[in-house]
Amino acid sequence: MNAWLSFPSHTESFNHELAIRRFCPARIEQEQGGGEWEDGMNEIDQPWSPYNAVSPPCLAASEEDEFVDSFINMDGYNDYGNDDNRALESQQGFDHNFQGDEAIEMFEMVDEGYEDAGMVVEGEDLGGGTDLMPSIEEVSHGVDQGLQLVHSLLACAEAVGCRDTQLADSMLSRIWRSANCYGDSLQRVSYCFATGLKSRLSNLQKVNANGTFANGGMAVSSINKEEKMEAFQLLHQTTPYIAFGFMAANEAILKTGKGNDSLHIIDLGMEHCLQWPSLIRTLAQEPEGPPKLRITGLVKDGDSLSGLKASLKELAEYAATMGVPLQLNTVSDPPTPAFLTKESLDVREGEVLFVNSIMYLHKYVKESRGSLKAVLQAIKKLGPTLVTVVEQDANHNGPFFLGRFLESLHYYSAIFDSLEASLPRSSPQRLKIERVHFGEEIRNIVAFEGSERIERHERADQWRRQLGRAGFQVVGMKSMSQARMMLSVYGCDGYSLACEKGCLLLGWKGKPIMLASAWQVAKASSS
């Protein structure tokens, strides 16, 4: 089998509509009433108590079978979110399985046989012609194991959602026997979700009757900032997910800023400088000479700033060698509405102002009403020429645990499947990407609630709605050819591109993973 995960076209509908409808009648009533997105996500405005929502009923057997069967349908997955998107795909020609003619081989794939958790995988012929491809019986056995694993994950999630700690512990024990961080993509993603379920169960057992925590509160991750940054850099190097966002945002900035003498970019939540060398390199090639460039990085805290110093120094040196006048400023104040003012950010007359957010604005989709709206309105008051927004294109912010669990399991399963196609199972780089980067995201989505849950990813249509209500209008992304060129560097079939309502989307086998968009203040609201 080429991959564990190729979901049928009905799966997303099952995820979002059938599962949420069954588990969350209050959500359906709110949606039918036409309420706003953020208010719908946060309909309970009270002191936070973990898991205080009404426990959802369990999945019906037929619904659970339908969900589980989607994990082993190898050929039918061409889901692009909804009927409108699928129609758009057929009209515009969704770019499936793109691989450039001059693709650069990025990785040397290990071609040696090895065993993971007692499973022989495809490898080199070491026995004078012995075929190490799995037999039909072995494949069938693997499918059965996969079905059992997904069933166990769903059963455990249901038990946790219903606060049945005894059943949840029992199901976790069963999951650990099959989940394997060194196994195939399904085993590896299951390991991360099992870790998240274990953390949620641990948090649940620490909650007092009044909703407060006993014995010191919620568990803190042992992964430090250096490890997180290393995993992020490895993800940037080995997959197109991060580079896609950088490329799309930079292309929008370059196109809008072309012909101007002075550019100012406010980078929200700056943690690294990986985005800017390519922008500087392109600016250096301007026929009339490069413009002056100012980058103001809004760093989350002082610790992040200390880790940035070396990267900032290297970026300044690189700009000097390219002949681009660069001024770097960093501010450790969080980008709150009160801080996002022209005075605080030294916005000057005559500059073309950009606000850049790479996988950061979703952290403001909080339970308190209006938090994201207030930030967007503050950004609007700055008078930016363009706002670039790159986000994970996923619905991981539903107010009910089980629906969110199903959504995130599908999303990250597709990502882990793409890593299976790019990196060998023995790769230490792959393990770091999965365990440190994506594993921490999964743990946050699954295990935490309230202010502790910051990975609140939303779909493109929700970002369009929220940005539109804040007074912005989309500026169509026109960098499809550059995106194709970028994908060719990674030399891997399976990545897919689409342009939908002005947003550029990158997916794996048609499953949307990342979205890139650009926005300007709507003319009607510019006053």
Side-chain angles (χ1 to χ4, degrees):
M1 294 186 178
N2 293 330
W4 271 105
L5 297 164
S6 292
F7 311 129
S9 60
H10 64 262
T11 300
E12 186 77 22
S13 176
F14 172 78
N15 263 355
H16 182 63
E17 297 173 8
L18 182 57
I20 299 299
R21 188 180 300 278
R22 182 174 181 82
F23 306 149
C24 319
R27 167 75 178 276
I28 298 302
E29 291 177 5
Q30 185 276 329
E31 289 181 346
Q32 291 174 344
E36 292 192 5
W37 161 45
E38 191 169 21
D39 292 342
M41 297 296 100
N42 313 302
E43 53 199 31
I44 302 175
D45 190 15
Q46 61 186 25
W48 175 72
S49 174
Y51 330 120
N52 58 4
V54 176
S55 299
C58 295
L59 279 166
S62 60
E63 295 170 359
E64 183 172 330
D65 289 341
E66 182 179 9
F67 180 87
V68 174
D69 287 345
S70 72
F71 278 77
I72 59 168
N73 182 346
M74 299 302 147
D75 302 314
Y77 178 41
N78 191 23
D79 172 34
Y80 201 62
N82 55 45
D83 293 337
D84 292 337
N85 286 333
R86 284 192 288 272
L88 178 75
E89 174 185 337
S90 63
Q91 293 170 5
Q92 297 186 354
F94 198 81
D95 189 8
H96 289 290
N97 302 328
F98 174 77
Q99 183 174 8
D101 296 334
E102 300 178 355
I104 301 172
E105 186 63 38
M106 295 294 290
F107 316 114
E108 180 180 358
M109 301 299 291
V110 174
D111 195 25
E112 299 177 355
Y114 57 91
E115 293 186 1
D116 281 323
M119 297 173 59
V120 177
V121 299
E122 180 181 357
E124 186 180 5
D125 182 358
L126 300 177
T130 301
D131 187 3
L132 294 182
M133 288 294 290
S135 65
I136 294 176
E137 291 78 10
E138 289 171 329
V139 169
S140 177
H141 178 65
V143 169
D144 290 341
Q145 285 187 327
L147 284 169
Q148 293 172 6
L149 183 53
V150 177
H151 271 294
S152 297
L153 283 169
L154 292 179
C156 186
E158 290 172 358
V160 171
C162 295
R163 307 181 199 176
D164 188 340
T165 57
Q166 184 175 358
L167 177 58
D169 276 326
S170 174
M171 296 311 303
L172 269 178
S173 297
R174 180 180 299 180
I175 292 168
W176 291 129
R177 291 197 291 268
S178 300
N180 181 2
C181 62
Y182 298 97
D184 60 44
S185 62
L186 181 56
Q187 290 174 312
R188 295 163 90 112
V189 76
S190 297
Y191 183 94
C192 292
F193 274 88
T195 301
L197 288 169
K198 180 181 178 181
S199 294
R200 188 178 183 93
L201 185 60
S202 175
N203 293 335
L204 182 61
Q205 291 168 338
K206 295 177 184 177
V207 177
N208 297 318
N210 62 359
T212 61
F213 279 108
N215 302 324
M218 304 181 83
V220 178
S221 173
S222 61
I223 299 173
N224 59 43
K225 293 181 181 293
E226 290 74 19
E227 291 173 314
K228 291 181 180 179
M229 183 51 59
E230 180 186 7
F232 184 85
Q233 291 172 340
L234 287 171
L235 179 65
H236 176 234
Q237 294 166 5
T238 56
T239 75
Y241 296 125
I242 305 301
F244 164 79
F246 291 166
M247 177 279 304
N250 285 348
E251 285 294 322
I253 291 171
L254 289 165
K255 179 181 178 182
T256 304
K258 191 174 183 63
N260 291 278
D261 297 330
S262 184
L263 311 180
H264 183 190
I265 301 171
I266 297 172
D267 191 11
L268 301 181
M270 176 184 271
E271 293 184 313
H272 52 77
C273 299
L274 298 174
Q275 179 178 353
W276 306 122
S278 62
L279 179 75
I280 291 172
R281 184 165 54 251
T282 305
L283 289 176
Q285 298 170 357
E286 288 290 329
E288 299 178 358
K292 295 178 182 178
L293 176 63
R294 279 208 303 148
I295 299 177
T296 300
L298 273 60
V299 184
K300 290 191 297 184
D301 51 51
D303 291 339
S304 298
L305 181 57
S306 63
L308 263 176
K309 288 182 179 178
S311 298
L312 292 169
K313 181 180 178 181
E314 291 177 0
L315 184 65
E317 293 173 348
Y318 179 73
T321 61
M322 300 299 293
V324 176
L326 173 64
Q327 180 182 344
L328 289 169
N329 304 298
T330 54
V331 183
S332 57
D333 294 75
T336 60
F339 181 76
L340 291 172
T341 65
K342 293 183 178 181
E343 294 74 21
S344 299
L345 298 171
D346 190 22
V347 175
R348 304 170 186 173
E349 292 291 333
E351 291 181 329
V352 181
L353 181 65
F354 301 91
V355 176
N356 181 70
S357 173
I358 305 294
M359 296 180 293
Y360 189 73
L361 279 177
H362 71 265
K363 301 179 189 297
Y364 285 89
V365 185
K366 298 178 181 178
E367 291 191 347
S368 59
R369 286 194 174 109
S371 56
L372 176 62
K373 184 178 181 180
V375 170
L376 292 176
Q377 288 177 339
I379 291 173
K380 177 188 168 186
K381 290 180 181 178
L382 294 174
T385 301
L386 197 72
V387 177
T388 50
V389 177
V390 175
E391 286 289 344
Q392 297 93 328
D393 188 20
N395 182 14
H396 297 159
N397 194 39
F400 298 95
F401 168 68
L402 191 51
R404 190 166 72 242
F405 184 89
L406 297 177
E407 292 277 359
S408 57
L409 181 57
H410 264 174
Y411 177 83
Y412 286 101
S413 294
I415 291 178
F416 276 56
D417 187 49
S418 71
L419 294 172
E420 177 91 343
S422 301
L423 292 169
R425 295 177 188 176
S426 59
S427 166
Q429 292 83 6
R430 177 180 173 185
L431 187 63
K432 289 179 181 178
I433 292 170
E434 292 173 338
R435 293 283 301 279
V436 177
H437 183 80
F438 290 121
E440 281 296 287
E441 284 189 2
I442 291 168
R443 180 172 176 265
N444 188 265
I445 293 167
V446 172
F448 298 111
E449 296 292 348
S451 60
E452 298 289 336
R453 180 159 62 86
I454 61 174
E455 300 298 342
R456 296 171 175 268
H457 311 140
E458 292 285 359
R459 298 299 298 269
D461 58 342
Q462 300 288 17
W463 286 110
R464 277 192 291 269
R465 184 182 307 173
Q466 194 73 353
L467 281 154
R469 286 173 175 165
F472 292 93
Q473 63 185 23
V474 69
V475 178
M477 285 279 187
K478 298 180 180 179
S479 50
M480 183 70 80
S481 60
Q482 290 89 340
R484 291 193 182 99
M485 292 172 60
M486 182 270 299
L487 284 184
S488 71
V489 172
Y490 292 88
C492 179
D493 287 337
Y495 292 111
S496 36
L497 290 169
C499 187
E500 190 260 326
K501 296 182 180 178
C503 297
L504 195 61
L505 299 130
L506 171 65
W508 174 253
K509 296 180 179 177
K511 173 68 176 177
I513 303 295
M514 300 294 299
L515 70 93
S517 58
W519 304 82
Q520 63 185 10
V521 176
K523 293 180 180 179
S525 63
S526 58
S527 59

